[in-house]
Amino acid sequence: MRKLVIISCLLILSITSTNIYGQEFLGIKVDGKLYDVIAKFKLKGFKITSKDELNPILEGRAGTTDVELIIFSSPKSKTVFKFSVYLPKKNDWDAIKSEYQDYLNTLSEKYGTPKSRYDFFSSPYKEGEGDEMNAIAMEKCFYSAYWQSVSISISKYKQVKISYENDKNFEINDAENAKLKKEVF
């Protein structure tokens, strides 16, 4: 009986750890060293478009959709802690809202109900008045949803953005940044 309880606990822990730390995009986990992760995306046809040392931007295809991918890594160890995927830019409110809703539904089916969700405009903007795209550019449009390590939003760049994080590696990034600040200041 004791073995059964221990095995059950380990199984639950491994499932929980996978959900918290094992986020992935196109089968590539948000984990590991930056150059190894870049190499994996290159094998999937992605190309580097910005050679930022810590946060390179790559372009490629996810299914039939062209996407931009930003890979975030820590300053010292270059440990990957986040992917942000930007879908193609939209010029029409109905198109971007529809795309946002489609991906929100997909993520909700996979991860369940979001922990928090926002769907509103800040003053002076209101949905239905025809100025929604300007509201997005002015960062007055707040359409976003958050799960444990995944989020979706409409970005100021008029693109739907989906982010995947590794909480454990995010802590590594925070620790490395704090240490750098202490060394500098």
Side-chain angles (χ1 to χ4, degrees), residues 58-114:
L58 291 80
E59 290 182 354
R61 290 181 71 76
T64 59
T65 305
D66 292 326
V67 298
E68 291 177 305
L69 167 67
I70 302 175
I71 303 172
F72 294 88
S73 67
S74 63
K76 288 272 195 184
S77 65
K78 307 285 191 277
T79 301
V80 172
F81 64 90
K82 181 177 179 179
F83 296 158
S84 284
V85 180
Y86 287 85
L87 301 174
K89 186 176 180 177
K90 302 290 183 195
N91 295 316
D92 172 78
W93 169 244
D94 290 331
I96 197 167
K97 183 180 178 186
S98 175
E99 183 174 66
Y100 170 82
Q101 193 61 51
D102 286 346
Y103 282 94
L104 174 65
N105 292 340
T106 298
L107 293 170
S108 294
E109 287 175 17
K110 184 172 183 176
Y111 300 108
T113 303

